[in-house]
């Protein structure tokens, strides 16, 4: 406790530039350790590293570098003296951070950062990342893996910075690929770490026996790392664990990828994975820079953008008190900053955007190529009118060879509606009035969403679960294996713990069942939602949750893992009536065999063409976005249509025969 306090206190003082107090606290902890624990211990390495990091925070890079080199020598001296795995493990964990401190300090001290210097520093950081990969096996528990990844995320960020600087100096695209790979790995690791930290998360299609085997092996690893064991004992269990992972990767690749795959993945040959007539635009932040990377089948190019006032401008678009004049100016301002620098290079009709941070709150379709006088002009002078725009979470998901699964059933809808009759039935079913869920009783009814579900079920010859029948249990049991899963309900986003964001279903009228009408994000990972498309018209279902350097984890990501090839979702709280109109138009074009992105674009253009007054505002139509696969949905033929076609053909044959028959 005392050592933890001194480390935190010294860093607090360093952050606030109180040099004497910061160094004094760090040195006090160091001398305490050497006096009470002796030298060449893991504790000594921890304290010397902390002192170096204090120097770096204070801007004394020369002392920081000297301390990093000193700590590196101490580690080499200490490691051979250890006799059990647990002490060796503690010492090895400090090595990546020592490498980082040494690299960052040398970087700050170097006036002329030539290519050879940058290559050397980048190579050392790659070594640090490989060490972290090897350390995953040593930490055992999921919570420790989460901590390991979180503590070393700054290594990935600095490596990304070096790779980008190397690309600028050499124009060698391998470094741009490295930068993208590192950035995407950071986002991927954040998602994985958050899920791994929750013991209640279960993953679909993985047998209980496999999960139990995983738990058992982790316990054996933990025991092998105890003070009473030897290195040989650990190596034996480690071999058994590697065999288990090899089988897991082969039999349950999706689970393996999310839980155990390498923390550093490569985007080599990404251009070969881009679909025809498509440009990928990957936005990413690096230090104080906002970058856009354009990737097509022919080339990859990097553009630096001006992010001045970008965050406030994006936020202002959702301010209902903003005037039309201010909004149309902002839409054009954002176009000038975020699109115009490379507009001439976007030569394809299709565009897939992979945002970062604040940009997850923006639908690029709203951006206008010039300053407009009214929203009606967005029908012809916005990015909506110029490109088929869809989104994705990660470059790792881009795959031109993806083949859509052919499901037997066309459509299923789940819409609780939350009307007064439904709420009355719920109140009657509750014997204890004190247990009534008042939030549930205050949910706004959704009549337009219900009508849309009924009409769409008829259009696609599907089924719908409405009102009291739209419960969580019925959803989990009946949603799977449909070409389209339509969910029209309310949702609650949790920006602190995104895995606790939830969809709200109908309360069960069966008093014998547990009153559980919330479907949390972490539960969706254990739900079979295999489909070509999931429609989530709940408010804010796709809303991102991020901190600095952190990507998004949301209900839409969970649906992707659960088997939905694409998701049509909302970026913000949407108007029920207008969204129902747009999705109805979208379904009309999907039924005609159109690609999903094309169908959504045309549905929005149709909406703008017919809308009047305040409903022309982008708040009413731009919230809906398509994420993932854009291919058309191969709908099964309606049996009624087949019946009438056969009937007409039969009638024609009869008429033909009668005409050919000679008169008596």
């Amino acid at each position: 406790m005392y050592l933890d306090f001194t480390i935190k206190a010294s860093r607090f003082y360093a952050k606030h530039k109180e040099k004497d107090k910061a160094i004094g606290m760090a040195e006090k902890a160091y001398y305490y350790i050497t006096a009470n624990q002796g030298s060449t211990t893991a504790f000594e390495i921890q304290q010397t590293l902390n002192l170096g990091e204090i120097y770096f925070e204070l801007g004394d890079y020369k002392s920081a570098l000297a301390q990093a080199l000193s700590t590196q020598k101490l580690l080499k001296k200490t490691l051979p003296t250890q006799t059990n795995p647990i002490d060796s493990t503690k010492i090895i964990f400090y090595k990546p951070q020592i490498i980082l401190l040494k690299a960052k300090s040398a970087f700050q001290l170097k006036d002329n950062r030539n290519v050879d210097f940058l290559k050397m520093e980048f190579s050392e950081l790659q070594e640090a990342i490989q060490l972290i990969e090897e350390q995953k096996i040593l930490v055992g528990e999921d919570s420790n893996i989460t901590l390991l990844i979180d503590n070393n995320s700054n290594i990935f960020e600095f490596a990304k910075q070096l790779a980008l600087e190397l690309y600028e100096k050499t124009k060698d695209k391998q470094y741009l690929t490295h930068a993208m790979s590192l950035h995407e790995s950071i986002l991927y690791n954040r998602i994985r770490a958050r899920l791994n930290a929750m013991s209640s998360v279960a993953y679909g299609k993985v047998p209980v026996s496999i999960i139990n085997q995983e738990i058992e092996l982790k316990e054996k690893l933990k025991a092998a790392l105890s003070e009473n064991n030897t290195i040989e004992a650990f190596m034996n269990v480690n071999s058994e664990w590697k065999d288990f992972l090899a089988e897991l990767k082969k039999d349950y690749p999706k689970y393996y990828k999310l839980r155990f795959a390498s923390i550093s993945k490569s985007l080599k040959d990404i251009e070969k994975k881009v679909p025809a007539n498509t440009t990928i635009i990957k936005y990413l932040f690096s230090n104080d820079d906002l970058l856009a990377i354009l990737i097509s089948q022919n080339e990859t190019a990097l553009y630096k953008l001006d992010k001045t006032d970008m965050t406030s401008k994006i936020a202002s678009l959702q301010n209902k008190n903003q005037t039309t004049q201010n909004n149309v100016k902002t839409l054009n301002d954002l176009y000038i900053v975020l699109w115009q620098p490379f507009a001439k290079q976007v030569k394809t009709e299709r565009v897939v955007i992979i945002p970062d941070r604040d940009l997850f709150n923006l639908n690029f379709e709203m951006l206008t190529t010039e300053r407009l006088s009214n929203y009606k002009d967005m029908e012809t002078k916005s990015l909506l009118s110029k490109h088929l725009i869809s989104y994705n979470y990660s470059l790792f998901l881009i795959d031109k060879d993806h083949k859509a699964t052919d499901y037997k059933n066309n459509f299923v809808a789940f819409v609780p509606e939350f009307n007064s009759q439904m709420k009355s039935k719920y109140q009657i079913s509750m014997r204890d009035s004190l247990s009534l869920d008042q939030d549930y009783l205050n949910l706004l009814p959704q009549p337009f969403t219900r009508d849309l579900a009924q009409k769409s079920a008829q259009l696609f010859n599907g089924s719908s679960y409405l009102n009291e029948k739209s419960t969580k249990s019925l959803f989990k049991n009946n949603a799977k294996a449909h070409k389209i899963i339509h969910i029209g309900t309310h949702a609650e986003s949790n920006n602190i713990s995104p895995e606790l964001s939830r969809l709200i279903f109908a309360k069960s009228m069966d008093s014998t069942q547990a009153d559980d009408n919330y479907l949390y994000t972490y539960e969706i990972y254990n739900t079979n939602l295999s489909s070509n498309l999931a429609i989530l018209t709940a408010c804010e279902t796709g809303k991102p949750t991020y901190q600095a350097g952190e990507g998004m984890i949301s209900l839409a990501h969970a649906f992707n893992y659960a088997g939905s090839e694409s998701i049509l979702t909302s970026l913000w709280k949407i108007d029920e009536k207008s969204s129902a109109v747009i999705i109805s138009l979208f379904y009309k074009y999907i039924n005609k065999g159109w690609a999903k992105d094309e169908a959504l674009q045309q549905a929005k253009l149709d909406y703008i063409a017919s809308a009047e007054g305040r409903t022309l505002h982008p708040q009413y139509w731009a919230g809906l976005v398509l994420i993932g696969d854009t291919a058309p949905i191969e709908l099964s033929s309606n049996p009624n249509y087949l019946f009438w076609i056969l009937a007409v053909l039969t009638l024609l044959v009869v008429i033909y025969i009668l005409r050919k028959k000679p008169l008596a």
Side-chain angles (χ1 to χ4, degrees), residues 253-270:
K254 206 167 188 178
Y255 176 72
Y256 172 85
K257 180 180 177 182
L258 185 59
R259 299 270 284 153
F260 302 109
S262 172
I263 60 173
S264 180
K265 303 171 67 180
S266 174
L267 286 166
K268 186 180 179 181
D269 299 328
I270 182 64

Side-chain angles (χ1 to χ4, degrees), residues 49 53 92-101 125 127-136 139 144-160 182 185-186 189-190 193 263:
L49 175 60
E53 290 172 341
I92 291 170
F93 281 149
Y94 294 119
K95 191 171 182 180
Q97 287 298 319
I98 296 170
I99 293 173
L100 175 64
L101 177 61
L125 288 178
E127 177 193 347
I129 291 171
Q130 182 57 40
L131 283 169
I132 300 166
E133 181 69 48
E134 294 168 2
Q135 289 172 3
K136 281 196 311 178
V139 297
N144 291 335
I145 293 175
T146 299
L147 190 62
L148 174 71
I149 292 172
D150 191 51
N151 287 345
N152 290 290
S153 61
N154 48 5
I155 295 176
F156 284 82
E157 286 288 353
F158 189 55
K160 180 177 75 175
L182 287 161
S185 294
I186 293 167
N189 289 329
R190 288 292 186 184
I263 60 173

Side-chain angles (χ1 to χ4, degrees), residues 4 9 21 36 54 73 93 115 157 235 266 314 329 355 376 402 429 470-471 514 561 570 575 591 631 640:
D4 287 341
K21 288 183 178 180
N36 291 276
I54 295 300
K73 290 178 181 178
F93 281 149
V115 172
E157 286 288 353
M235 294 303 294
S266 174
I314 292 174
K329 178 181 183 301
K376 202 76 171 179
H402 167 77
S429 70
S470 186
T471 62
Y561 180 88
S570 52
D575 178 74
N591 196 43
N640 292 330

Side-chain angles (χ1 to χ4, degrees), residues 251 278 313 629:
D251 298 335
T278 301
K313 286 179 180 178
D629 181 67

Side-chain angles (χ1 to χ4, degrees), residues 585-598:
L585 291 165
F586 171 76
Y587 281 154
K588 181 181 77 172
Y589 294 117
I590 287 293
N591 196 43
K592 289 182 178 181
W594 289 28
K596 302 184 198 81
D597 53 355
E598 186 180 11

Side-chain angles (χ1 to χ4, degrees), residues 153 226 582:
S153 61
S226 68
I582 293 169

Side-chain angles (χ1 to χ4, degrees), residues 195-463:
L195 293 174
N196 284 350
M198 289 197 67
S199 59
S200 53
V201 176
Y203 300 90
K205 300 180 182 179
V206 182
V208 175
S209 59
I210 297 296
I211 299 297
N212 288 339
Q213 186 181 358
E214 177 188 326
I215 294 171
E216 181 183 340
L217 283 171
K218 285 180 178 178
E219 287 298 319
K220 289 175 70 174
L221 281 168
K222 185 177 179 181
L225 284 168
S226 68
E227 294 183 8
N228 299 322
N229 258 312
T230 63
I231 294 290
E232 288 75 19
F234 168 75
M235 294 303 294
N236 289 334
V237 181
N238 188 24
S239 177
E240 192 176 349
W241 172 253
K242 287 182 177 179
D243 290 342
F244 169 75
L245 289 183
E247 289 296 317
L248 195 67
K249 184 177 182 180
K250 182 182 70 174
D251 298 335
Y252 307 99
K254 206 167 188 178
Y255 176 72
Y256 172 85
K257 180 180 177 182
L258 185 59
R259 299 270 284 153
F260 302 109
S262 172
I263 60 173
S264 180
K265 303 171 67 180
S266 174
L267 286 166
K268 186 180 179 181
D269 299 328
I270 182 64
E271 292 177 359
K272 295 178 181 178
K273 296 182 179 181
V274 178
N277 190 30
T278 301
T279 300
I280 311 293
I281 303 178
K282 169 61 191 173
Y283 290 91
L284 65 86
F285 288 85
S286 179
N287 283 341
D288 294 328
D289 295 326
L290 172 59
L291 309 172
I293 302 174
L294 269 63
I295 311 168
S296 66
Q297 289 186 338
N298 300 319
E299 65 173 342
T300 300
L302 175 70
Y303 297 85
K304 276 194 174 182
L305 308 178
D306 178 10
K307 64 180 179 65
T308 307
D309 298 329
M310 183 196 69
T311 300
S312 59
K313 286 179 180 178
I314 292 174
S316 73
L317 293 175
Q318 297 190 37
N319 184 347
K320 294 181 180 179
N321 296 322
Q322 284 285 331
T323 64
T324 298
Q325 183 178 5
N326 286 340
N327 265 342
V328 294
K329 178 181 183 301
T330 300
L331 292 172
N332 183 236
D333 288 344
L334 287 171
Y335 171 84
I336 292 170
V337 170
L338 297 173
W339 198 276
Q340 187 169 275
F342 51 77
K344 292 181 180 179
Q345 305 307 315
V346 184
K347 301 173 183 177
T348 61
E349 183 181 22
R350 282 194 161 84
V351 174
V352 179
I353 296 174
I354 303 177
D356 193 20
R357 298 193 199 174
D358 305 85
L359 298 178
F360 275 116
N361 288 322
L362 175 69
N363 186 352
F364 285 74
E365 293 173 328
M366 298 189 296
L367 306 188
T368 58
T369 55
E370 58 185 81
R371 187 78 56 83
L372 305 183
S373 58
N374 60 74
Y375 292 126
K376 202 76 171 179
D377 290 340
M378 296 183 78
E379 188 180 356
T380 56
K381 297 176 180 178
S382 65
L383 289 184
L384 171 69
S385 65
K386 297 186 177 301
H387 295 284
L388 300 175
I389 294 178
S390 64
Y391 293 82
N392 222 318
Y393 297 116
S394 170
L395 283 168
F396 292 131
L397 299 179
I398 302 299
D399 183 8
K400 70 175 183 180
D401 296 322
H402 167 77
K403 301 296 181 184
T405 305
D406 186 18
Y407 299 103
K408 180 181 178 181
N409 301 309
N410 279 345
F411 181 89
V412 64
F414 298 85
V415 180
E417 189 189 351
F418 308 109
N419 59 32
S420 56
Q421 183 181 10
M422 177 179 170
K423 293 173 185 176
S424 295
K425 288 181 180 179
Y426 163 64
Q427 288 178 296
I428 294 170
S429 70
M430 294 295 293
R431 297 176 183 176
D432 183 2
S433 60
L434 295 177
S435 300
L436 282 173
D437 185 342
Q438 294 299 326
D439 291 336
Y440 182 79
L441 294 175
N442 291 327
L443 290 171
L444 291 175
Q446 297 180 305
F448 299 106
T449 306
R450 178 208 58 210
D451 292 345
L452 172 65
Q454 289 178 317
K455 292 176 182 176
S456 302
Q458 293 176 354
L459 175 67
F460 295 120
N461 191 37
S463 55

